[in-house]
Amino acid sequence: FSDYEAINRCEQEVPEYFNFASDVLDKWSQIEKERKGPSNPALWWINGKGDEIKWSFEELGFLSQKVANMLSGPCSLQRGDRVSVILPRIPEWWLLNVACMRTGVIIIPGTTQLTAQDICYRLLASKAKCIITTDVLAPAVDSVASKCQFLKTKLIVSESCRAEWLNFSDLL
């Protein structure tokens, strides 16, 4: 409670740089490794078919680091670059959010209901260098990609491969 009161009185020290992925998630992962805290899931995802994924803080931290390496490696993204992520709320969506925090890449989330025209407008307005989506929206992206001069990388979250797209699962 004293921390809460200190924050309200603006007496709590605020770090100059804060990164949720490294300052919070990795700390919880370390606590989990050292068995100092309960091992509750960091992410527990269940789809409509009853399939589920449960990741510990350690697993979420490790996987998000792999995705961060994917973004800065094969996707050639750097701190401050923008990435448009148009995915349903699947586990990869959460990994990408944390990975963007790790790398300083700016995530621009989009709903899966966007049309090709909507996607084109958002890519042009944001100057996104990368787009990440599923095979459902990939044809819409392909139909407008030539108009989006800043778009360099297309990453697909799918079991299948698509020409001119990097595959998330293969890279992971």
Side-chain angles (χ1 to χ4, degrees):
F1 222 30
S2 63
D3 284 347
Y4 178 76
E5 290 299 321
I7 291 168
N8 281 342
R9 291 188 308 270
C10 299
E11 296 170 356
Q12 185 75 19
E13 273 195 47
V14 178
E16 185 176 353
Y17 299 102
F18 175 77
N19 185 306
F20 176 82
S22 57
D23 295 336
V24 176
L25 181 61
D26 290 349
K27 186 172 185 173
W28 289 345
S29 175
Q30 189 61 38
I31 290 169
E32 189 178 75
K33 279 184 200 176
E34 296 169 358
R35 305 282 184 235
K36 288 183 181 173
S39 186
N40 293 321
L43 178 82
W44 191 349
W45 176 86
I46 303 172
N47 69 7
K49 300 173 190 170
D51 301 325
E52 71 179 311
I53 291 179
K54 247 189 222 188
W55 288 329
S56 66
F57 288 97
E58 185 177 358
E59 291 167 322
L60 181 58
F62 175 74
L63 290 170
S64 68
Q65 287 172 355
K66 286 180 73 170
V67 175
N69 290 338
M70 178 191 316
L71 294 176
S72 58
C75 294
S76 303
L77 296 173
Q78 299 175 5
R79 180 180 224 46
D81 286 343
R82 296 170 186 97
V83 59
S84 179
V85 178
I86 307 171
L87 293 173
R89 296 309 175 251
I90 55 177
E92 292 84 354
W93 187 86
W94 298 100
L95 288 177
L96 285 158
N97 273 270
V98 176
C100 285
M101 288 178 210
R102 282 192 187 285
T103 58
V105 169
I106 300 164
I107 188 168
I108 303 167
T111 175
T112 55
Q113 297 173 337
L114 294 175
T115 65
Q117 186 178 0
D118 297 330
I119 293 168
C120 184
Y121 174 80
R122 283 163 174 77
L123 290 173
L124 289 171
S126 68
K127 300 179 182 175
K129 289 188 177 180
C130 177
I131 189 165
I132 304 169
T133 193
T134 62
D135 46 4
V136 173
L137 283 177
V141 173
D142 284 337
S143 72
V144 298
S146 63
K147 299 175 190 172
C148 305
Q149 69 269 24
F150 298 101
L151 185 64
K152 304 294 180 215
T153 307
K154 299 180 289 185
L155 184 65
I156 193 165
V157 178
S158 173
E159 296 298 319
S160 59
C161 293
R162 186 172 180 88
E164 300 178 12
W165 286 74
L166 298 174
N167 185 285
F168 183 90
S169 299
D170 292 347
L171 293 175
L172 190 63

